[in-house]
Amino acid sequence: MFQDPATNHNVNVYYYQPRNYHADTPVVLVLHGLRRDAEEYRDSWVEYAEREGLMVLAPRFSSEAYPGGNGFNLGNVFRASTAEEARGYTRPEQMNPPDQWAFTLVERVFADFRDRRSTNSHQTYYLYGHGAGAQLAHRFAMFMPESHAEEIIVAAAGWYTMSDESIEWPYGTGGVPTLDSAATRSLLAQPILLLAGGADTATLHTVMRQVPQTNAQGATRVERTRYYYEAGERKAQLLNTAFNWRHWVMPGVTHSPDQMTPFAARYIASRAR
């Protein structure tokens, strides 16, 4: 239990410490999906964290502290006052202070672990999000250029916020004063791995958002992930700035966190060596 001083909420942080844990064990912050099932996400990592030697922390973002799609998927950047705003379909007028953002909770959970609960020597962590957690993860990269994230893995996001000021938030950065050209350059330079399952192509009976702004990104998660990556690549060329994203499609993988986890654990372990 982490007692968050910023929000005055208690945060359940589910964790797994491998048997061979030592001060140099890499730390992974796992972001749960739409169901806010952090415990189940932690459980799905146990076998692979043990095999690869990874310390896993999976905080639960409660609906009380981070309500609706605006509060979790979109990071609680804005203060919703209507049902449409709470669902994350329109941009509220008023921004929340940064310590109320879901993004900054990630940093506080890591700081609490590093400073109070472990002998871990790492000053950075790997951030992994799947589904709704992937939406939070890629927006984390936008709003947190000075974070302690070593690399961000965005797995199977349903749609993306484009780095485009001509598109209104949440589909673009229009109306968000903190997301200027410097923030865009920082985003493009961050090490980010965009993952999509090759068989994650369902468009009916899914929670994927189907509005004109998201449909412009593609029909499936595969197409939307490719669209986001290619838009980032073009943006980096236009700005003549560093571009450190990767984009991989995993053959045969559906919209299942269990199918993504083994690869993510191996990838993180290899990057941390």
Side-chain angles (χ1 to χ4, degrees), residues 101-208:
W101 298 352
F103 313 128
T104 57
L105 176 62
V106 174
E107 287 280 288
R108 291 192 296 274
V109 165
F110 176 66
D112 177 71
F113 166 76
R114 182 194 60 206
D115 299 339
R116 298 182 56 236
R117 303 178 190 270
S118 79
T119 57
N120 199 286
S121 62
H122 283 285
Q123 299 300 307
T124 60
Y125 58 88
Y126 291 84
L127 184 64
Y128 171 85
H130 180 275
Q135 292 198 37
L136 182 66
H138 91 274
R139 295 182 183 109
F140 177 100
M142 303 177 82
F143 283 90
M144 301 291 289
E146 304 299 325
S147 80
H148 292 82
E150 182 79 19
E151 185 164 357
I152 299 172
I153 302 170
V154 178
W159 59 280
Y160 297 86
T161 294
M162 308 303 298
S163 292
D164 188 334
E165 294 180 5
S166 70
I167 303 173
E168 188 77 4
W169 176 267
Y171 306 105
T173 57
V176 187
T178 58
L179 297 182
D180 55 15
S181 60
T184 299
R185 290 175 184 273
S186 176
L187 167 68
L188 297 169
Q190 288 188 65
I192 296 175
L193 172 61
L194 300 167
L195 289 178
D200 190 0
T201 55
T203 57
L204 298 176
H205 310 298
T206 76
V207 295
M208 259 182 41

Side-chain angles (χ1 to χ4, degrees), residues 32-35 41 72-73 129-137 139 156-158 255:
H32 57 67
L34 183 68
R35 298 184 181 90
Y41 267 76
F72 180 57
N73 304 37
H130 180 275
Q135 292 198 37
L136 182 66
R139 295 182 183 109
H255 193 63

